[in-house]
Amino acid sequence: MPGLRSSQFVLAAGLALITSAAAITPAQAVPRRIILLRHGEKANAYALCSVGEQRAIALRDTYLGRSASNDSLLEGQTPAAFLAITLHTQETTAPSATSWGLPVRSYGEVSTGAGKTQLMAELARATQTAAADVLENPAWDGRTVVMTWEHKHIANKDLERQNRGEQVTLRQLLNLDQVAGVPAKWPGTNYDYFWVIDYDDQNSTVPTAFEMVKQNYPAPFNSLPHNAWDTPLPSNFPASCLR
């Protein structure tokens, strides 16, 4: 039946064109920059201590807010989104997000009475969802995204080893493990650093640049803990904050 064969040929040709187009069209929509940081110092499992609250304001006024005095991280750009995963991270990033009139997009879940194993599994799932969004959301393509996160799910070699065959940290999920110079672990003693991740190649989800930036604050925030990377907390670290 010539007519049927002709229709089958046209259909096959159309499918081939669609397949070819899909093969050359990037599936991802990567941001230009991700600014990654840990939450501020904690009072308990749910809230920041006074030092952490002060750090949240310092982040807004110095680095991440609309009227920040140092625009080296944002490079004069309006952030596309502020992401968080726990109550600590929401509280830390809220002042900066509010200054831009943006909501905090939270991926975390708080399970009443959850044990440590369940909590870590929930945080891993939330981290996976957030990373997928960051690398696929067209609304954030070519823009800057701020992620305030729980430090073990930023980078932790022990956690990664315990979950072989599954990506559970942002170090893995954002392909930072393919970039030289990225630490294998975010130390529990550090609240005072940014990881700045750039994707200059918008057709690839592998970062093209990585930089660790130490938070340095002018008065009245210059008394915030600012120990060097992977060193003990300062001797005057407040007793009111969890260690």
Side-chain angles (χ1 to χ4, degrees):
M1 300 173 62
L4 179 58
R5 285 198 296 271
S6 177
S7 298
Q8 289 174 331
F9 174 79
V10 171
L11 178 60
L15 289 173
L17 286 173
I18 292 170
T19 303
S20 176
I24 63 176
T25 301
Q28 66 277 352
V30 297
R32 166 67 181 81
R33 168 168 288 184
I34 297 172
I35 300 172
L36 181 57
L37 64 151
R38 185 189 182 187
H39 58 75
E41 293 83 347
K42 304 171 292 185
N44 50 47
Y46 305 103
L48 300 180
C49 62
S50 59
V51 172
E53 293 171 348
Q54 188 179 30
R55 186 177 296 277
I57 300 302
L59 285 164
R60 179 196 66 190
D61 291 356
T62 309
Y63 291 105
L64 301 177
R66 179 185 286 273
S67 302
S69 58
N70 183 340
D71 68 352
S72 60
L73 300 184
L74 293 176
E75 298 182 324
Q77 303 299 308
T78 300
F82 287 83
L83 313 186
I85 189 175
T86 62
L87 295 176
H88 296 133
T89 60
Q90 292 176 47
E91 190 176 355
T92 300
T93 202
S96 296
T98 300
S99 76
W100 292 100
L102 292 172
V104 176
R105 182 163 180 159
S106 180
Y107 291 82
E109 299 177 7
V110 178
S111 296
T112 303
K116 182 177 179 180
T117 300
Q118 181 183 345
L119 177 61
M120 294 299 280
E122 290 177 354
L123 291 176
R125 286 194 294 271
T127 301
Q128 291 162 350
T129 300
D133 278 357
V134 168
L135 297 181
E136 296 172 6
N137 191 330
W140 304 338
D141 188 26
R143 301 182 65 191
T144 296
V145 175
V146 179
M147 300 184 73
T148 307
W149 228 246
E150 186 273 330
H151 74 289
K152 289 184 179 179
H153 285 87
I154 296 177
N156 187 286
K157 57 187 177 182
D158 295 330
L159 186 62
E160 292 173 4
R161 189 180 304 115
Q162 293 163 13
N163 292 272
R164 290 189 188 279
E166 183 181 13
Q167 295 183 322
V168 295
T169 66
L170 292 175
R171 180 178 178 274
Q172 298 170 309
L173 292 159
L174 299 178
N175 297 313
L176 288 164
D177 53 356
Q178 300 182 46
V179 179
V182 178
K185 181 177 182 179
W186 188 294
T189 56
N190 283 113
Y191 296 88
D192 57 332
Y193 276 81
F194 299 103
W195 283 9
V196 182
I197 308 155
D198 286 339
Y199 296 83
D200 291 331
D201 183 355
Q202 296 304 115
N203 294 324
S204 174
T205 59
V206 178
T208 52
F210 168 82
E211 183 181 8
M212 288 197 352
V213 178
K214 197 173 193 302
Q215 297 174 17
N216 289 302
Y217 295 109
F221 306 115
N222 52 324
S223 61
L224 287 171
H226 56 279
N227 49 312
W229 184 256
D230 202 13
T231 63
L233 289 166
S235 57
N236 62 346
F237 190 76
S240 58
C241 301
L242 292 181
R243 288 180 174 268

